[in-house]
Amino acid sequence: MKKLVVGNWKMHGSRASNAELLQGLVSADLTVTAPRADVVVCPPFVFLSDVAAALKGVAISVGSQDISAQAQGAFTGEVSGLMIRELGVKYAIVGHSERRSYHAESDQLVAEKAKSALSHGLVPIVCVGETLAERESSQTEVVVARQLKAVIDTLGDQLVQIVVAYEPVWAIGTGKTASPEQAQAVHALLRAQLKAAMPQAAAVPLLYGGSVKPDNAVELFAQPDIDGGLIGGAALKAADFVAIARAA
Ligand code: PGA
C-alpha cells in the first residue's frame, strides 16, 4: 500500500510564502522522487482556492483543516464541505486536537464532521490522541478508543472510506515524537477496533502525527500499522516535507 503523507499548515502562510512552498514541492517532482507516497497539503481555508489552482495537474492533493458539520445555513464563520468540494479539495482533517481543545469539539461533533465530509465527497482524516496527563494515568487506550468509537457508531458502512490519524497531544509541536514502538502499539489497537467494527475497515489508512521530521520518518513509517504521517511544522519547509515524503 502507498503511504499517505499529509501536511497540516495550521494557521500559517501568506500568498507569497505559499507560492514559494508550493514551488519547492512541485519542483521536487514527487511522483518520481517519492513514488511510494500520496501527498496532500492542508492550507487555511482562505488559501484553498489558490493552492488547488496552483496544484492543478500536479500529483499533490489538497485538504482543509476542518469543516462544519452542516452543509449550509445560519452558522456564522463556518465553512462547509459542500463549499470546499467545489474548489477541488479532496480531504478534510476533522477532530484535530487543537480543535478539540481550543474549540471544545466533542467526540460526537467530530464524528458528525466526518459524516458531513463523506456526504460531500471528501475523505475525512479523523484525528485521535491522548494528552500527556491521560498517557501518564494510563488512559491512552481508553481515550483513543472512545474518540474512534463515536466515529464508528456514526458512520456505519462508510467507515471504510475514512483515514485516521493518531496524534498524541504531547507530541504535537513539542519536538517529542512518540517512539516508533509507542506509536505502533496505539496503531495496532486502532486497527483492531476498526476491524472489529467492520472487517473491511482494517484497510483504513492509519497516519501518525506529532513532531514527524525527516530524521524520524523512516523508522516511524517502517512500523507495520503506520500507513503515513500527518505533518505540522515540517510541512512548512519544502525540503523537510519532501524528505518525509521520500521516507515513505
Ligand atoms: P507537528 O504537528 O508535526 O508540528 O508536531 C502535527 C499536527 O498537529 O498535525
Side-chain angles (χ1 to χ4, degrees), residues 12 15 84 89 95 99-101 146 159 165 183:
H12 292 289
R15 283 191 151 156
I84 62 167
V89 171
R99 302 287 322 169
R100 290 180 188 263
S101 71
R146 189 201 70 219
L159 186 63

Side-chain angles (χ1 to χ4, degrees), residues 8 10 96 98 167 171-174 209-213 230-234:
N8 171 12
K10 307 197 179 182
H96 190 281
E98 288 152 16
E167 297 205 306
I172 295 177
T174 57
S211 299
V212 178
K213 300 281 182 286
L230 181 52
I231 322 300

Side-chain angles (χ1 to χ4, degrees), residues 6-94:
V6 182
N8 171 12
W9 294 2
K10 307 197 179 182
M11 199 171 72
H12 292 289
S14 65
R15 283 191 151 156
S17 68
N18 297 345
E20 196 184 318
L21 175 53
L22 292 173
Q23 177 54 36
L25 301 185
V26 171
S27 64
D29 202 358
L30 293 171
T31 44
V32 177
T33 57
R36 294 177 55 80
D38 284 323
V39 177
V40 182
V41 293
C42 301
F45 282 125
V46 289
F47 297 128
L48 284 171
S49 186
D50 280 359
V51 170
L55 292 175
K56 216 172 171 139
V58 177
I60 299 176
S61 301
V62 181
S64 65
Q65 298 174 15
D66 182 33
I67 53 164
S68 172
Q70 315 294 331
Q72 41 193 324
F75 301 100
T76 303
E78 294 279 276
V79 178
S80 78
L82 183 66
M83 295 166 182
I84 62 167
R85 182 68 193 135
E86 268 198 72
L87 308 178
V89 171
K90 194 168 159 197
Y91 293 87
I93 298 172
V94 296

